[in-house]
Amino acid sequence: MSNAETKPVEMRCGGPADDEPATEAVRVDVLTSRDVPLGGPRAMTVRRTLPQRARTLIGAWCFADHYGPDDVSVTGGMDVAPHPHTGLQTVSWLFSGEIEHRDSLGSHAYVRPGELNLMTGGYGISHSEVSTPRTTVLHGVQLWVALPEEHRDADRDFQHHAPEPVRTDGAEIRVFLGSLAGRTSPVRTFTPLLGAEIVLQPRAALTLAVDPGFEHGLLVDQGEVRLSGTLLGPAELGYAHPGPDALTLTNESDDIARTVLLGGAPFEEEIVMWWNFIGRSADDIVQARRDWMEGRRFGEVQGYDGAPLPAPELPTVPLKPRGKRR
Ligand code: MN
């Protein structure tokens, strides 16, 4: 997915380190989403929880868009023309619908519910994403992972993985990245990371062992879910600070609840993120934008019917780094 804001701003998000002593209680901050139109004739809207002023990163997870369930006959579905990425990986995860992916590595793939599609941009890649004609309801998440400095220029890559669900304690868990509930995804990450879909039966309560060195984010898609004492509603992201070795998820509703659990070791590098690019300096961003607009570095997407997306104008104020902890 492309960041479709017409005037993407860079947020100043540094702050004090998480150096408070670990306590028994799980500290959870509730992050609400903001609506961002994705562009296109009828402008499908996504709910963005990362980045935001209160929090820019959860581990190396640096971007979280949540959308649907959308009737594509009303919203027009997804049609994101070829656009570039650098310094990051994109994670596509659907609950329903289907998206056709094409990239400048030559990948042509269909993103389907319950199947991870992970694209590594490395130094530069471009791709298009279009919901298919057989899609009636589009519903899912689009997530980005920042690459650490030593792998920032990793080779372009595209991986697919359909995790076997784990069924336990009234829950169905699909671990697409990292380890949880006795399952480990075979998909390689460049920093310690967790990504899993967790569906809870009505009123089910589930306690999961987690890495105490990780910070976690629980995105609620559907239902009312209590995360270790803090109630979260649809489209909210509960941020659990590092420290606890277990998290408890309780479905407080009489319907199925669906969530996505993200986690990772705190990402200690400062990054500059603008539009679809991640760099370490404003110069990195300016160079990436120039390379895209002048047709270098990001390759070409074959088979998309239409012109590539132009980059927005750079802000007139200097780009500032974000991250190290907050
Ligand atoms: Mn994209």
Side-chain angles (χ1 to χ4, degrees):
M1 195 174 290
S2 173
N3 181 357
E5 292 171 286
T6 53
K7 291 182 181 169
V9 293
E10 170 48 39
M11 287 184 289
R12 177 80 178 128
C13 294
D18 268 322
D19 52 3
E20 294 166 46
T23 57
E24 290 289 315
V26 179
R27 293 165 58 210
V28 176
D29 303 335
V30 179
L31 304 173
T32 54
S33 65
R34 66 190 170 103
D35 288 347
V36 179
L38 202 55
R42 282 172 285 184
M44 169 185 163
T45 296
V46 300
R47 298 178 289 275
R48 186 163 299 165
T49 45
L50 279 184
Q52 59 174 276
R53 280 173 210 285
R55 176 148 301 278
T56 52
L57 293 160
I58 297 177
W61 296 104
C62 60
F63 184 94
D65 273 357
H66 173 218
Y67 51 89
D70 284 339
D71 177 344
V72 300
S73 70
V74 175
T75 64
M78 183 183 292
D79 185 353
V80 185
H83 59 277
H85 289 292
T86 184
L88 60 86
Q89 296 173 298
T90 64
V91 170
S92 304
W93 184 263
L94 287 180
F95 308 130
S96 68
E98 185 183 59
I99 294 170
E100 184 175 22
H101 164 99
R102 297 174 185 271
D103 67 39
S104 58
L105 184 64
S107 316
H108 179 211
Y110 291 91
V111 181
R112 295 185 174 121
E115 301 181 6
L116 170 74
N117 287 272
L118 175 75
M119 184 181 77
T120 301
Y123 183 60
I125 200 167
S126 54
H127 71 146
S128 61
E129 297 148 287
V130 181
S131 48
T132 61
R134 47 183 175 253
T135 297
T136 53
V137 174
L138 193 60
H139 190 187
V141 291
Q142 167 77 205
L143 310 163
W144 296 352
V145 175
L147 291 172
E149 178 64 27
E150 70 173 310
H151 298 292
R152 190 148 70 97
D153 297 336
D155 290 340
R156 292 172 184 168
D157 191 28
F158 186 82
Q159 294 181 73
H160 172 269
H161 173 56
E164 274 296 311
V166 186
R167 293 184 180 89
T168 177
D169 295 339
E172 189 172 272
I173 305 170
R174 288 178 168 79
V175 183
F176 50 83
L177 287 176
S179 294
L180 189 71
R183 293 297 171 97
T184 296
S185 167
V187 178
R188 183 190 171 201
T189 62
F190 293 96
T191 53
L193 218 55
L194 170 66
E197 178 185 319
I198 302 173
V199 175
L200 297 161
Q201 291 299 311
R203 303 286 162 186
L206 170 71
T207 296
L208 294 163
V210 295
D211 187 329
F214 275 21
E215 49 191 355
H216 292 88
L218 185 73
L219 178 67
V220 176
D221 169 61
Q222 177 187 324
E224 302 281 331
V225 178
R226 193 172 297 281
L227 172 60
S228 298
T230 301
L231 190 63
L232 303 167
E236 290 183 332
L237 178 68
Y239 169 75
H241 293 254
D245 58 10
L247 295 173
T248 299
L249 279 60
T250 309
N251 180 1
E252 301 285 4
S253 62
D254 291 321
D255 279 313
I256 295 257
R258 187 195 276 116
T259 66
V260 175
L261 181 63
L262 305 177
F267 192 82
E268 299 290 352
E269 298 172 24
E270 277 198 343
I271 60 175
V272 178
M273 187 169 161
W274 178 81
W275 193 42
N276 298 317
F277 304 136
I278 291 180
R280 294 299 182 279
S281 67
D283 286 351
D284 287 347
I285 300 299
V286 170
Q287 187 62 51
R289 184 184 184 282
R290 185 179 302 137
D291 287 343
W292 173 245
M293 295 304 280
E294 295 176 5
R296 289 186 299 268
R297 177 168 163 178
F298 297 98
E300 263 185 60
V301 177
Q302 302 294 329
Y304 177 82
D305 184 15
L309 285 179
E313 292 299 321
L314 284 162
T316 50
V317 294
L319 296 166
K320 291 175 184 165
R322 71 171 50 158
K324 276 190 180 177
R325 310 310 318 134
R326 178 181 168 107

mmCIF file with all atom_site columns, all heavy atoms in Angstrom, residues 65-80:
data_model
loop_
_atom_site.group_PDB
_atom_site.id
_atom_site.type_symbol
_atom_site.label_atom_id
_atom_site.label_alt_id
_atom_site.label_comp_id
_atom_site.label_asym_id
_atom_site.label_entity_id
_atom_site.label_seq_id
_atom_site.pdbx_PDB_ins_code
_atom_site.Cartn_x
_atom_site.Cartn_y
_atom_site.Cartn_z
_atom_site.occupancy
_atom_site.B_iso_or_equiv
_atom_site.pdbx_formal_charge
_atom_site.auth_seq_id
_atom_site.auth_comp_id
_atom_site.auth_asym_id
_atom_site.auth_atom_id
_atom_site.pdbx_PDB_model_num
ATOM 1   N N   . ASP A 1 65 ? -2.074  0.088  8.903   1.00 0.00 ? 65 ASP A N   1
ATOM 2   C CA  . ASP A 1 65 ? -3.348  0.503  8.317   1.00 0.00 ? 65 ASP A CA  1
ATOM 3   C C   . ASP A 1 65 ? -4.321  -0.659 8.408   1.00 0.00 ? 65 ASP A C   1
ATOM 4   O O   . ASP A 1 65 ? -3.974  -1.803 8.106   1.00 0.00 ? 65 ASP A O   1
ATOM 5   C CB  . ASP A 1 65 ? -3.180  0.873  6.838   1.00 0.00 ? 65 ASP A CB  1
ATOM 6   C CG  . ASP A 1 65 ? -2.786  2.320  6.632   1.00 0.00 ? 65 ASP A CG  1
ATOM 7   O OD1 . ASP A 1 65 ? -2.700  3.076  7.620   1.00 0.00 ? 65 ASP A OD1 1
ATOM 8   O OD2 . ASP A 1 65 ? -2.551  2.694  5.461   1.00 0.00 ? 65 ASP A OD2 1
ATOM 9   N N   . HIS A 1 66 ? -5.539  -0.340 8.803   1.00 0.00 ? 66 HIS A N   1
ATOM 10  C CA  . HIS A 1 66 ? -6.587  -1.337 9.001   1.00 0.00 ? 66 HIS A CA  1
ATOM 11  C C   . HIS A 1 66 ? -7.773  -0.886 8.168   1.00 0.00 ? 66 HIS A C   1
ATOM 12  O O   . HIS A 1 66 ? -8.137  0.285  8.210   1.00 0.00 ? 66 HIS A O   1
ATOM 13  C CB  . HIS A 1 66 ? -6.895  -1.342 10.513  1.00 0.00 ? 66 HIS A CB  1
ATOM 14  C CG  . HIS A 1 66 ? -8.065  -2.172 10.925  1.00 0.00 ? 66 HIS A CG  1
ATOM 15  N ND1 . HIS A 1 66 ? -8.926  -1.764 11.920  1.00 0.00 ? 66 HIS A ND1 1
ATOM 16  C CD2 . HIS A 1 66 ? -8.511  -3.378 10.517  1.00 0.00 ? 66 HIS A CD2 1
ATOM 17  C CE1 . HIS A 1 66 ? -9.852  -2.709 12.100  1.00 0.00 ? 66 HIS A CE1 1
ATOM 18  N NE2 . HIS A 1 66 ? -9.614  -3.690 11.266  1.00 0.00 ? 66 HIS A NE2 1
ATOM 19  N N   . TYR A 1 67 ? -8.360  -1.786 7.411   1.00 0.00 ? 67 TYR A N   1
ATOM 20  C CA  . TYR A 1 67 ? -9.454  -1.358 6.536   1.00 0.00 ? 67 TYR A CA  1
ATOM 21  C C   . TYR A 1 67 ? -10.549 -2.420 6.477   1.00 0.00 ? 67 TYR A C   1
ATOM 22  O O   . TYR A 1 67 ? -10.310 -3.594 6.698   1.00 0.00 ? 67 TYR A O   1
ATOM 23  C CB  . TYR A 1 67 ? -8.944  -1.022 5.139   1.00 0.00 ? 67 TYR A CB  1
ATOM 24  C CG  . TYR A 1 67 ? -8.093  -2.089 4.504   1.00 0.00 ? 67 TYR A CG  1
ATOM 25  C CD1 . TYR A 1 67 ? -8.663  -3.108 3.742   1.00 0.00 ? 67 TYR A CD1 1
ATOM 26  C CD2 . TYR A 1 67 ? -6.712  -2.081 4.688   1.00 0.00 ? 67 TYR A CD2 1
ATOM 27  C CE1 . TYR A 1 67 ? -7.879  -4.086 3.175   1.00 0.00 ? 67 TYR A CE1 1
ATOM 28  C CE2 . TYR A 1 67 ? -5.929  -3.070 4.125   1.00 0.00 ? 67 TYR A CE2 1
ATOM 29  C CZ  . TYR A 1 67 ? -6.522  -4.063 3.373   1.00 0.00 ? 67 TYR A CZ  1
ATOM 30  O OH  . TYR A 1 67 ? -5.738  -5.054 2.823   1.00 0.00 ? 67 TYR A OH  1
ATOM 31  N N   . GLY A 1 68 ? -11.743 -1.945 6.197   1.00 0.00 ? 68 GLY A N   1
ATOM 32  C CA  . GLY A 1 68 ? -12.882 -2.813 6.002   1.00 0.00 ? 68 GLY A CA  1
ATOM 33  C C   . GLY A 1 68 ? -13.540 -3.252 7.301   1.00 0.00 ? 68 GLY A C   1
ATOM 34  O O   . GLY A 1 68 ? -13.129 -2.810 8.376   1.00 0.00 ? 68 GLY A O   1
ATOM 35  N N   . PRO A 1 69 ? -14.568 -4.141 7.220   1.00 0.00 ? 69 PRO A N   1
ATOM 36  C CA  . PRO A 1 69 ? -15.039 -4.753 5.970   1.00 0.00 ? 69 PRO A CA  1
ATOM 37  C C   . PRO A 1 69 ? -15.721 -3.727 5.065   1.00 0.00 ? 69 PRO A C   1
ATOM 38  O O   . PRO A 1 69 ? -16.652 -3.044 5.493   1.00 0.00 ? 69 PRO A O   1
ATOM 39  C CB  . PRO A 1 69 ? -16.029 -5.817 6.441   1.00 0.00 ? 69 PRO A CB  1
ATOM 40  C CG  . PRO A 1 69 ? -16.476 -5.370 7.812   1.00 0.00 ? 69 PRO A CG  1
ATOM 41  C CD  . PRO A 1 69 ? -15.331 -4.601 8.389   1.00 0.00 ? 69 PRO A CD  1
ATOM 42  N N   . ASP A 1 70 ? -15.225 -3.625 3.839   1.00 0.00 ? 70 ASP A N   1
ATOM 43  C CA  . ASP A 1 70 ? -15.762 -2.681 2.861   1.00 0.00 ? 70 ASP A CA  1
ATOM 44  C C   . ASP A 1 70 ? -16.436 -3.434 1.722   1.00 0.00 ? 70 ASP A C   1
ATOM 45  O O   . ASP A 1 70 ? -15.868 -4.372 1.171   1.00 0.00 ? 70 ASP A O   1
ATOM 46  C CB  . ASP A 1 70 ? -14.619 -1.866 2.237   1.00 0.00 ? 70 ASP A CB  1
ATOM 47  C CG  . ASP A 1 70 ? -14.093 -0.785 3.162   1.00 0.00 ? 70 ASP A CG  1
ATOM 48  O OD1 . ASP A 1 70 ? -14.817 -0.389 4.091   1.00 0.00 ? 70 ASP A OD1 1
ATOM 49  O OD2 . ASP A 1 70 ? -12.959 -0.339 2.937   1.00 0.00 ? 70 ASP A OD2 1
ATOM 50  N N   . ASP A 1 71 ? -17.635 -2.986 1.390   1.00 0.00 ? 71 ASP A N   1
ATOM 51  C CA  . ASP A 1 71 ? -18.312 -3.484 0.197   1.00 0.00 ? 71 ASP A CA  1
ATOM 52  C C   . ASP A 1 71 ? -17.649 -2.777 -0.990  1.00 0.00 ? 71 ASP A C   1
ATOM 53  O O   . ASP A 1 71 ? -17.793 -1.565 -1.162  1.00 0.00 ? 71 ASP A O   1
ATOM 54  C CB  . ASP A 1 71 ? -19.799 -3.127 0.299   1.00 0.00 ? 71 ASP A CB  1
ATOM 55  C CG  . ASP A 1 71 ? -20.595 -3.548 -0.932  1.00 0.00 ? 71 ASP A CG  1
ATOM 56  O OD1 . ASP A 1 71 ? -19.981 -3.834 -1.982  1.00 0.00 ? 71 ASP A OD1 1
ATOM 57  O OD2 . ASP A 1 71 ? -21.832 -3.565 -0.837  1.00 0.00 ? 71 ASP A OD2 1
ATOM 58  N N   . VAL A 1 72 ? -16.909 -3.526 -1.785  1.00 0.00 ? 72 VAL A N   1
ATOM 59  C CA  . VAL A 1 72 ? -16.126 -2.867 -2.836  1.00 0.00 ? 72 VAL A CA  1
ATOM 60  C C   . VAL A 1 72 ? -17.012 -2.257 -3.921  1.00 0.00 ? 72 VAL A C   1
ATOM 61  O O   . VAL A 1 72 ? -16.567 -1.388 -4.672  1.00 0.00 ? 72 VAL A O   1
ATOM 62  C CB  . VAL A 1 72 ? -15.085 -3.821 -3.471  1.00 0.00 ? 72 VAL A CB  1
ATOM 63  C CG1 . VAL A 1 72 ? -14.107 -4.324 -2.418  1.00 0.00 ? 72 VAL A CG1 1
ATOM 64  C CG2 . VAL A 1 72 ? -15.740 -4.977 -4.192  1.00 0.00 ? 72 VAL A CG2 1
ATOM 65  N N   . SER A 1 73 ? -18.304 -2.699 -3.981  1.00 0.00 ? 73 SER A N   1
ATOM 66  C CA  . SER A 1 73 ? -19.198 -2.060 -4.956  1.00 0.00 ? 73 SER A CA  1
ATOM 67  C C   . SER A 1 73 ? -19.505 -0.628 -4.520  1.00 0.00 ? 73 SER A C   1
ATOM 68  O O   . SER A 1 73 ? -19.926 0.202  -5.314  1.00 0.00 ? 73 SER A O   1
ATOM 69  C CB  . SER A 1 73 ? -20.482 -2.869 -5.130  1.00 0.00 ? 73 SER A CB  1
ATOM 70  O OG  . SER A 1 73 ? -21.295 -2.778 -3.969  1.00 0.00 ? 73 SER A OG  1
ATOM 71  N N   . VAL A 1 74 ? -19.283 -0.335 -3.266  1.00 0.00 ? 74 VAL A N   1
ATOM 72  C CA  . VAL A 1 74 ? -19.498 1.021  -2.742  1.00 0.00 ? 74 VAL A CA  1
ATOM 73  C C   . VAL A 1 74 ? -18.181 1.808  -2.695  1.00 0.00 ? 74 VAL A C   1
ATOM 74  O O   . VAL A 1 74 ? -18.111 2.948  -3.121  1.00 0.00 ? 74 VAL A O   1
ATOM 75  C CB  . VAL A 1 74 ? -20.129 0.961  -1.319  1.00 0.00 ? 74 VAL A CB  1
ATOM 76  C CG1 . VAL A 1 74 ? -20.237 2.357  -0.718  1.00 0.00 ? 74 VAL A CG1 1
ATOM 77  C CG2 . VAL A 1 74 ? -21.494 0.293  -1.379  1.00 0.00 ? 74 VAL A CG2 1
ATOM 78  N N   . THR A 1 75 ? -17.135 1.166  -2.180  1.00 0.00 ? 75 THR A N   1
ATOM 79  C CA  . THR A 1 75 ? -15.872 1.905  -1.982  1.00 0.00 ? 75 THR A CA  1
ATOM 80  C C   . THR A 1 75 ? -14.989 1.915  -3.229  1.00 0.00 ? 75 THR A C   1
ATOM 81  O O   . THR A 1 75 ? -14.049 2.698  -3.312  1.00 0.00 ? 75 THR A O   1
ATOM 82  C CB  . THR A 1 75 ? -15.033 1.278  -0.854  1.00 0.00 ? 75 THR A CB  1
ATOM 83  O OG1 . THR A 1 75 ? -14.644 -0.048 -1.255  1.00 0.00 ? 75 THR A OG1 1
ATOM 84  C CG2 . THR A 1 75 ? -15.803 1.218  0.449   1.00 0.00 ? 75 THR A CG2 1
ATOM 85  N N   . GLY A 1 76 ? -15.263 1.006  -4.164  1.00 0.00 ? 76 GLY A N   1
ATOM 86  C CA  . GLY A 1 76 ? -14.393 0.916  -5.332  1.00 0.00 ? 76 GLY A CA  1
ATOM 87  C C   . GLY A 1 76 ? -13.209 -0.010 -5.102  1.00 0.00 ? 76 GLY A C   1
ATOM 88  O O   . GLY A 1 76 ? -12.433 -0.277 -6.008  1.00 0.00 ? 76 GLY A O   1
ATOM 89  N N   . GLY A 1 77 ? -13.064 -0.493 -3.885  1.00 0.00 ? 77 GLY A N   1
ATOM 90  C CA  . GLY A 1 77 ? -11.975 -1.429 -3.603  1.00 0.00 ? 77 GLY A CA  1
ATOM 91  C C   . GLY A 1 77 ? -10.631 -0.744 -3.581  1.00 0.00 ? 77 GLY A C   1
ATOM 92  O O   . GLY A 1 77 ? -10.520 0.465  -3.410  1.00 0.00 ? 77 GLY A O   1
ATOM 93  N N   . MET A 1 78 ? -9.595  -1.548 -3.758  1.00 0.00 ? 78 MET A N   1
ATOM 94  C CA  . MET A 1 78 ? -8.231  -1.026 -3.691  1.00 0.00 ? 78 MET A CA  1
ATOM 95  C C   . MET A 1 78 ? -7.633  -0.989 -5.085  1.00 0.00 ? 78 MET A C   1
ATOM 96  O O   . MET A 1 78 ? -7.732  -1.953 -5.837  1.00 0.00 ? 78 MET A O   1
ATOM 97  C CB  . MET A 1 78 ? -7.393  -1.945 -2.785  1.00 0.00 ? 78 MET A CB  1
ATOM 98  C CG  . MET A 1 78 ? -5.958  -1.464 -2.575  1.00 0.00 ? 78 MET A CG  1
ATOM 99  S SD  . MET A 1 78 ? -4.990  -2.615 -1.570  1.00 0.00 ? 78 MET A SD  1
ATOM 100 C CE  . MET A 1 78 ? -5.776  -2.439 0.032   1.00 0.00 ? 78 MET A CE  1
ATOM 101 N N   . ASP A 1 79 ? -7.055  0.139  -5.437  1.00 0.00 ? 79 ASP A N   1
ATOM 102 C CA  . ASP A 1 79 ? -6.323  0.237  -6.699  1.00 0.00 ? 79 ASP A CA  1
ATOM 103 C C   . ASP A 1 79 ? -5.164  1.194  -6.467  1.00 0.00 ? 79 ASP A C   1
ATOM 104 O O   . ASP A 1 79 ? -5.304  2.404  -6.622  1.00 0.00 ? 79 ASP A O   1
ATOM 105 C CB  . ASP A 1 79 ? -7.233  0.731  -7.824  1.00 0.00 ? 79 ASP A CB  1
ATOM 106 C CG  . ASP A 1 79 ? -6.518  0.723  -9.179  1.00 0.00 ? 79 ASP A CG  1
ATOM 107 O OD1 . ASP A 1 79 ? -5.288  0.454  -9.220  1.00 0.00 ? 79 ASP A OD1 1
ATOM 108 O OD2 . ASP A 1 79 ? -7.189  0.987  -10.201 1.00 0.00 ? 79 ASP A OD2 1
ATOM 109 N N   . VAL A 1 80 ? -4.048  0.633  -6.052  1.00 0.00 ? 80 VAL A N   1
ATOM 110 C CA  . VAL A 1 80 ? -2.879  1.452  -5.743  1.00 0.00 ? 80 VAL A CA  1
ATOM 111 C C   . VAL A 1 80 ? -1.851  1.220  -6.848  1.00 0.00 ? 80 VAL A C   1
ATOM 112 O O   . VAL A 1 80 ? -1.314  0.120  -7.004  1.00 0.00 ? 80 VAL A O   1
ATOM 113 C CB  . VAL A 1 80 ? -2.291  1.104  -4.360  1.00 0.00 ? 80 VAL A CB  1
ATOM 114 C CG1 . VAL A 1 80 ? -1.155  2.054  -4.016  1.00 0.00 ? 80 VAL A CG1 1
ATOM 115 C CG2 . VAL A 1 80 ? -3.378  1.179  -3.281  1.00 0.00 ? 80 VAL A CG2 1
#
